[in-house]
Amino acid sequence: MRIRVVNPNTTRAMTDAIEQCAQAVAGRGTLLDAVTAEMGPASIESHYDEALSVPGILAAIRRGEQEGIDGYVIACFGDPGLDSARELARGPVIGIAEAALHTASHLGGGFSIVTTLSRTIGRADELVYRYGMQRFCRGIHACEIPVLALEDPDARKIVTEACGDAVDADGSDAIVLGCAGMADLCSHIRDEIGVPVIDGVAAATLTVQSLITLGLRKSGRGEFAAPSPKQYSGLLRSFGSNS
Amino acid sequence: MRIRVVNPNTTRAMTDAIEQCAQAVAGRGTLLDAVTAEMGPASIESHYDEALSVPGILAAIRRGEQEGIDGYVIACFGDPGLDSARELARGPVIGIAEAALHTASHLGGGFSIVTTLSRTIGRADELVYRYGMQRFCRGIHACEIPVLALEDPDARKIVTEACGDAVDADGSDAIVLGCAGMADLCSHIRDEIGVPVIDGVAAATLTVQSLITLGLRKSGRGEFAAPSPKQYSGLLRSFGSNS
Amino acid sequence: MRIRVVNPNTTRAMTDAIEQCAQAVAGRGTLLDAVTAEMGPASIESHYDEALSVPGILAAIRRGEQEGIDGYVIACFGDPGLDSARELARGPVIGIAEAALHTASHLGGGFSIVTTLSRTIGRADELVYRYGMQRFCRGIHACEIPVLALEDPDARKIVTEACGDAVDADGSDAIVLGCAGMADLCSHIRDEIGVPVIDGVAAATLTVQSLITLGLRKSGRGEFAAPSPKQYSGLLRSFGSNS
Amino acid sequence: MRIRVVNPNTTRAMTDAIEQCAQAVAGRGTLLDAVTAEMGPASIESHYDEALSVPGILAAIRRGEQEGIDGYVIACFGDPGLDSARELARGPVIGIAEAALHTASHLGGGFSIVTTLSRTIGRADELVYRYGMQRFCRGIHACEIPVLALEDPDARKIVTEACGDAVDADGSDAIVLGCAGMADLCSHIRDEIGVPVIDGVAAATLTVQSLITLGLRKSGRGEFAAPSPKQYSGLLRSFGSNS
Amino acid sequence: MRIRVVNPNTTRAMTDAIEQCAQAVAGRGTLLDAVTAEMGPASIESHYDEALSVPGILAAIRRGEQEGIDGYVIACFGDPGLDSARELARGPVIGIAEAALHTASHLGGGFSIVTTLSRTIGRADELVYRYGMQRFCRGIHACEIPVLALEDPDARKIVTEACGDAVDADGSDAIVLGCAGMADLCSHIRDEIGVPVIDGVAAATLTVQSLITLGLRKSGRGEFAAPSPKQYSGLLRSFGSNS
Amino acid sequence: MRIRVVNPNTTRAMTDAIEQCAQAVAGRGTLLDAVTAEMGPASIESHYDEALSVPGILAAIRRGEQEGIDGYVIACFGDPGLDSARELARGPVIGIAEAALHTASHLGGGFSIVTTLSRTIGRADELVYRYGMQRFCRGIHACEIPVLALEDPDARKIVTEACGDAVDADGSDAIVLGCAGMADLCSHIRDEIGVPVIDGVAAATLTVQSLITLGLRKSGRGEFAAPSPKQYSGLLRSFGSNS
């Protein structure tokens, strides 16, 4: 079984950290790798960045399909390009927000999300709504640290405090980390604040692995059938059947 | 890692079938067994049966905690006693409806549920609502076969037809089987009707396994903290701290 | 017309207090009594207690049916076993949360619920949702007094303060008391804080009385039809048709 | 205890029929009368009719307050003027749709509404939504008989058939009659189709009676406080403090 | 193209101010006027006032239809009589709350409403719900200034502060002014607090103008078809076909 | 005032048709043009096509900002890239689904959407949900004609029939056309089926024009603030601040 984690931004250091978190939970029979998007933004902190990360994700999935990959994780908490990736891949594709929110709903009465910049709260809220998790999500909070600064010495402390504050303010039973770049802080924060902390990278890896084990893949028909071949133009010419 | 599947009814043949379906997907490092409720109804086909299956489930979990079980599956599509079981267990407890509905939401635009008797549709609808899956569930259909008749030669054909009809009527991309007793029909139906078919027993087994792998268990505080010790009377005396 | 109030816990003093509150509002032609569950927990303060109160409730209703009781009140704010009790009884069965929430919705723009321990807030929230009362419920608050301590001299003061605080914090027009054990505090709190205060025991008694007067009982068919006779095992053998 | 049923249209024959239905269920200590609106439409079958029935309702309530009436029923299924009537009255005011929908929700998994003309379905749907009854309402159907023709010999048959069809089409457990003019058909339809049939006039009478018995009236503050005195002009001059 | 703005209260000074705000945005080909209700309350600050403003609105629309008016704005934030006005008019009728809420939803992630007296918050909330704007509305706040005092020297300052506070408390991206009497404060507040501020009078004027330009009017059939002619009695005799 | 309509696909003939529909309703003071995406798919009929149309849309808006455009219409019924476009533009950006759904909600009790291929129904449903229009949308139907075949002689007839069937099946008061390529069929279908038919291109043009007239543009802060400058790589290098 081959699972590929796609880092939708172009920062390789982040891909490496994500890969470690995914490897740590993958089963013995699972071959897992992580790839960095070949085009797009260095980090994703706006709707603009997110939309422009999608071509890189789709290119990675197209390559994966040629290599026989069985399932994919999209490792950005905005779950960019999820629907289009599902059309393209034969096997399951899971976003880390999707996996994290579902996972958190199994653990208690309600959870809080802690994300990076406050301008990303709107997207997190939209995903909560999309996945039907409104009743479980008690609050979404920003720690105002940009994605690529999460590795700074001070960041760990600030994120941990934001998580503790969120649990208190919302009366929550669990924390969902709202950025793939926080994946390696997960066990540290859990130890500090004493409630379950969910990292979507690890959660999504296991969700994909489970779906493959269950033999489940999208229906050949319906909303997520393969897109019809079609001419594409300009910079994106290679995404069409004419390339 | 030790996972226990609890069959909430008292029919051992059904426990055996359920155990096989769970074993088929469990990971190499997972020790899995299934147990039959020691008290309660022979099958669960009403709110009455479901309510009265809960003491048997809780007794099974209490024993499991003494034996060091790491997580549990409740193998009845009504997810009976899920909240109380979560209070009692240290590790994760997942209902098969919960796992099946979440799993189906990853596979397409919408799914249909096929259950046994039409009187159980109300409970299925309530669970769809509880787990936030209204947008994904396009219909709930009964095949009017009682739980313990699902093994009859004709039943397989009737259930399969009901699944095919549901997909057509609802325009669904996947089928969720609405009874643990249908678990062994899963791959047969998938082959016949050509869309993904989700059996909650297998799905819940992998959800529990994933949660344990992720090191996630309920918060020690909050809604699912262990119940306070308390005196119990009469037939249920053994469930209290006074037993 | 005979109405029976079932106290789902095994504490007789609480049954007596509940009976008084119900008697105070019952009509002249109504014969009302209250019974204590013969099995189960001394008080209900967790999902575990609530689930294990259901066999006692169902046993009480089965006896009531033999005695010709026309309708029932389930006198615990978690409305335990309501669906199964409706299957078993020929006449109406009403939970005190159900009646209190409906009643409060007739009185103003929105209400607050004040319950006992904070761990019961989750169940209250679920019931608000189940009965469609989300738009009317502006907050659920705990006073952190255990059920059996509600009779303590200090408790009345603490509950009253919690009600006043809830009205202020939520901008509510009414208070719903979140425990049958608070029934006798109702008029006191109303006098103190000056908004309507709803006790579910009295409200449910009148709802049952009204349904009987209207000649309304469940449909013979559908979700709440009588459960099919079936073999039950172990401690719960007496709940089956084999007993 | 004095309860007044207000017929918001100006047709006295309908007031008489409504009064009989209300009297049939009122308790022994209840003095009940019904009044006909002194201004407005002969029947209510559009948003226009409904809006213009409100001054007549408010005039009737103003008179009732002077006479010491304790509570009111608004006997039109559109619940016209309910909020404004609540501001004006010291005691409870209940609409017949409000009472019927709440009552039906206690009886089964779901109900259907049968109304007069199809153009009134929109208002019924809005009330279902307003009272939080979406999960219980499985369908709203028109029998296309105008309000004042409900007394025709053929009408009873057509309404009864529409109710039977609705139960079958929606898989409902109960019928809510969507017009005060259908009140006297209630027991006939129940006998014919074999499911509970709810008439809002009787249901609302008992809801008001219960609220008065419980000593519950709106809060003096908040959304339903008495309206501030104010100058009114033109035809409606008498509704202001200047009259 | 002729558009008429109806001021549902009887205060002419307010009609003049409203007309100016509407004129300021109307297109070159649009003939716009504003009229004052000929009957009803001097200002609208309760459900009672609102219900009793409807006959005046409907009389104004009936006159407008005779004069060939193409579309109407109802200039009170409670959108009184909107459904009945739609039945009566051949062209579009838009409420200022309706237009303001829709407009605000195009501008950012969420908005706050600032209204006059807190007792009107309930109606604003109901309209948010009716128009499907719950996800966009982050809070409704009162500044506790009566409608007719909005022109006082101090009022502008208090309303502006309330708007600034609302943006901070709710984390909103825009303000919706909750009273037609605030229309002329719109640009001042926008300048002061630096977020978009929406006045419903101007927004509704352009919405009506757009619908007329698009050639869109209600369907001749269905919920908003013209009301059937019918006898009306008493003070409201002139609203019937018998007048 | 300068408004630009962006056709997100690369088919110039469709841009021309769209421009005509927009010109037909634009006000006298409005300078309107339409542009064709310089990169991406020839038509948009899947999530894949839609995601890959966004870079072309954003490039068009970036150019528009340099040219001083005041507002934009995104002329594809999936509203691709709407959030990111809002970040990039100083003035308003409106999607044609957004405008059409809002407009339809002003005209009647409920509408039906008629789209091209059934695989696009999921996206339409998501947008209905996103804009809060669930209560107004009674059905979404496909006519199974690909976007670029809408100009075929037979297509007009098939789409018209699908609209008529949708109105009947859903009991709708209006039709929303679910593709920019149907814009020029709008008046024909309205004449044929006798209910209002809404074309989003015209509706969105007037919505943008109204927002500009009202002086409304997004807040400088919050979710739609301009994206931070950032390095972009590969094919999409030109979208970053490093280009």
Side-chain angles (χ1 to χ4, degrees), chain E residues 58-75:
Chain E
L58 295 177
I61 286 180
R62 181 170 278 199
R63 265 195 318 280
E65 291 299 288
Q66 290 160 355
E67 299 173 23
I69 297 297
D70 295 300
Y72 303 87
V73 170
I74 298 180

Side-chain angles (χ1 to χ4, degrees), chain D residues 24-240:
Chain D
V25 297
R28 267 180 285 171
T30 299
L31 288 174
L32 183 140
D33 63 12
V35 299
T36 307
E38 284 186 3
M39 65 184 91
S43 66
I44 299 177
E45 291 162 321
S46 63
H47 296 292
Y48 180 83
D49 293 338
E50 194 183 307
L52 291 167
S53 75
V54 178
I57 296 167
L58 295 176
I61 286 179
R62 180 169 278 199
R63 266 195 317 281
E65 292 299 287
Q66 290 159 355
E67 300 173 23
I69 297 297
D70 295 299
Y72 303 87
V73 170
I74 298 181
C76 165
F77 201 79
D79 289 359
L82 186 56
D83 287 335
S84 46
R86 279 191 177 144
E87 290 177 332
L88 204 54
R90 279 160 312 208
V93 186
I94 297 291
I96 65 169
E98 183 185 25
L101 298 176
H102 280 265
T103 298
S105 78
H106 300 313
L107 294 173
F111 56 78
S112 301
I113 302 174
V114 172
T115 180
T116 54
L117 305 183
S118 56
R119 66 180 297 155
T120 68
I121 290 177
R123 177 62 181 168
D125 184 60
E126 194 178 353
L127 292 177
V128 165
Y129 199 65
R130 169 179 172 155
Y131 300 127
M133 295 294 137
Q134 301 101 299
R135 286 191 65 208
F136 299 98
C137 180
R138 296 195 177 153
I140 310 179
H141 307 264
C143 60
E144 303 301 354
I145 297 177
V147 173
L148 298 183
L150 283 167
E151 295 306 308
D152 289 355
D154 287 348
R156 172 182 290 227
K157 191 152 163 286
I158 293 171
V159 176
T160 303
E161 277 177 14
C163 291
D165 292 350
V167 164
D168 290 343
D170 300 341
S172 290
D173 296 338
I175 285 287
V176 168
L177 298 176
C179 178
M182 295 175 181
D184 53 357
L185 305 180
C186 185
S187 60
H188 170 73
I189 300 173
R190 195 181 306 172
D191 293 346
E192 290 290 316
I193 66 173
V195 301
V197 179
I198 294 100
D199 154 43
V201 175
T205 300
L206 292 182
T207 304
V208 170
Q209 181 180 285
S210 293
L211 289 167
I212 297 171
T213 302
L214 292 166
L216 288 169
R217 45 179 61 195
K218 70 176 184 190
S219 172
R221 68 185 206 180
E223 187 175 343
F224 295 109
S228 328
K230 176 174 301 186
Q231 183 160 7
Y232 271 66
S233 307
L235 276 186
L236 300 175
R237 182 181 164 81
S238 63
F239 288 89

Side-chain angles (χ1 to χ4, degrees), chain B residues 44-97:
Chain B
I44 299 177
E45 291 161 322
S46 63
H47 295 292
Y48 180 84
D49 293 339
E50 193 184 307
L52 290 167
S53 75
V54 179
I57 295 167
L58 296 176
I61 286 179
R62 181 170 279 200
R63 266 195 318 280
E65 291 300 287
Q66 290 159 355
E67 299 173 23
I69 298 297
D70 295 300
Y72 304 86
V73 170
I74 299 181
C76 166
F77 201 80
D79 289 359
L82 185 57
D83 287 334
S84 46
R86 278 189 179 148
E87 290 177 332
L88 204 54
R90 281 161 311 211
V93 186
I94 298 291
I96 66 170

Side-chain angles (χ1 to χ4, degrees), chain F residues 175-198:
Chain F
I175 284 288
V176 168
L177 298 176
C179 178
M182 296 175 181
D184 53 356
L185 304 179
C186 185
S187 61
H188 170 72
I189 299 174
R190 194 182 306 175
D191 294 344
E192 290 289 315
I193 65 173
V195 301
V197 178
I198 294 101

Side-chain angles (χ1 to χ4, degrees), chain A residues 98 102 106 167 196 215 217 221, chain B residues 98 102 106 167 196 217 221:
Chain A
E98 182 185 25
H102 280 264
H106 300 312
V167 163
R217 45 178 63 195
R221 68 183 206 181
Chain B
E98 182 186 24
H102 279 265
H106 300 313
V167 164
R217 43 179 62 197
R221 68 182 206 182

